[in-house]
Amino acid sequence: MALSAFDLLALLIVTCGIMLQTWVGIGFGLLAAPLLYLINPAFVPGPILILGFSLSLLVVLKQHAYLSWRRIMPAIIARLPGSWCGAALLVEVPQYGLSMIFGASLMLAVLVTWRSYKITTTVWSLTIGGFFSGLIGTATSIGGPPIALVYQQQNRIIARNEIAAFFLIGTPISILMLVQKSLVDQASLLLSLQLLPGVLFGFWLANKLDSRINTTSAKPVLLVISTASALMVLYKGVQGWLAA
């Protein structure tokens, strides 16, 4: 089956997002979700969450000996009620409302990621970060910033591995909540399979280039793209609201 230009663009977006998240533990949802949403709103949140889970599985399988399950457990437990709230929110809002919530959440995520807030990695901060990651991640598929904020004082490798472990357990919780609300179906699975090669290639490429990349220099580019995408999504939501 021939791929369209939009299919190839979606694969490129997924590959770049996966590379960023493989390096620093965050970036896939922040970069890929708004851009894929503009291509096809059906990519958010189900397929993005499924693809993110695939990456978490790859990272944890490779790095399982270098992470602390005990430390991340409070965040995993707190994700459960957060995910329920996120799924309930999706059921209650129209499509244009989702666009506005999505765009606003993305702008907030960009602000939080850009600023350097000094937060210690404690049981309480992990619990709060896990809850809001579940809430925002289930509703918009961008659950990285709340938990990454808690890990910003940690070593990059520790943060990447433990955030991957958090998403490995936490993302299926979000997916199950969405299934319960009939927000993930066969079409979501087919879209995920269509983009899965981007996950595998992005992960392979990220590991090949890991020693040559300065992840700090990639951050401004990521945030500029995310900001532009957020503004476009917000504009789309406002257009729908005015037309309603």
Side-chain angles (χ1 to χ4, degrees):
M1 182 178 67
L3 295 177
S4 69
F6 283 120
D7 292 333
L8 293 173
L9 178 59
L11 277 170
L12 177 62
I13 291 168
V14 169
T15 300
C16 293
I18 291 294
M19 289 173 67
L20 278 170
Q21 184 139 336
T22 302
W23 287 325
V24 299
I26 184 176
F28 173 59
L30 200 59
L31 175 67
L35 294 175
L36 291 179
Y37 182 84
L38 292 169
I39 294 174
N40 182 358
F43 281 123
V44 178
I48 293 289
L49 288 173
I50 294 170
L51 294 173
F53 168 77
S54 303
L55 174 62
S56 298
L57 180 61
L58 292 172
V59 172
V60 171
L61 285 176
K62 184 177 180 182
Q63 305 288 341
H64 65 91
Y66 305 101
L67 61 89
S68 171
W69 285 100
R70 178 178 294 182
R71 175 162 50 192
I72 196 63
M73 194 54 64
I76 293 173
I77 294 170
R79 186 170 175 117
L80 180 59
S83 298
W84 184 88
C85 292
L89 179 64
L90 276 179
V91 173
E92 298 298 327
V93 296
Q95 185 64 48
Y96 69 82
L98 175 61
S99 295
M100 295 173 72
I101 291 171
F102 187 24
S105 297
L106 184 57
M107 289 297 294
L108 179 60
V110 168
L111 175 63
V112 167
T113 306
W114 193 287
R115 296 289 299 272
S116 296
Y117 298 99
K118 300 212 178 278
I119 296 178
T120 307
T121 310
T122 65
V123 171
W124 282 109
S125 63
L126 284 165
T127 300
I128 295 170
F131 175 84
F132 282 103
S133 178
L135 172 63
I136 299 170
T138 305
T140 68
S141 73
I142 306 174
I147 196 68
L149 189 62
V150 179
Y151 271 91
Q152 66 173 323
Q153 303 298 321
Q154 298 290 333
N155 173 274
R156 177 178 73 92
I157 303 301
I158 292 174
R160 180 194 65 189
N161 294 346
E162 294 190 11
I163 291 172
F166 167 73
F167 284 124
L168 179 67
I169 306 300
T171 302
I173 295 173
S174 295
I175 294 171
L176 287 173
M177 294 293 179
L178 293 174
V179 170
Q180 186 184 30
K181 302 289 186 180
S182 300
L183 296 169
V184 170
D185 52 18
Q186 187 177 1
S188 301
L189 296 176
L190 290 175
L191 285 173
S192 304
L193 287 174
Q194 178 183 316
L195 296 180
L196 186 59
V199 175
L200 300 175
F201 182 62
F203 182 72
W204 175 82
L205 196 58
N207 283 286
K208 282 289 183 183
L209 300 176
D210 189 61
S211 60
R212 307 177 193 177
I213 296 297
N214 178 1
T215 54
T216 303
S217 63
K219 184 177 178 180
V221 178
L222 166 66
L223 296 180
V224 167
I225 293 172
S226 298
T227 301
S229 302
L231 291 174
M232 285 188 285
V233 171
L234 275 171
Y235 176 71
K236 186 175 180 179
V238 171
Q239 272 190 320
W241 176 52
L242 293 175

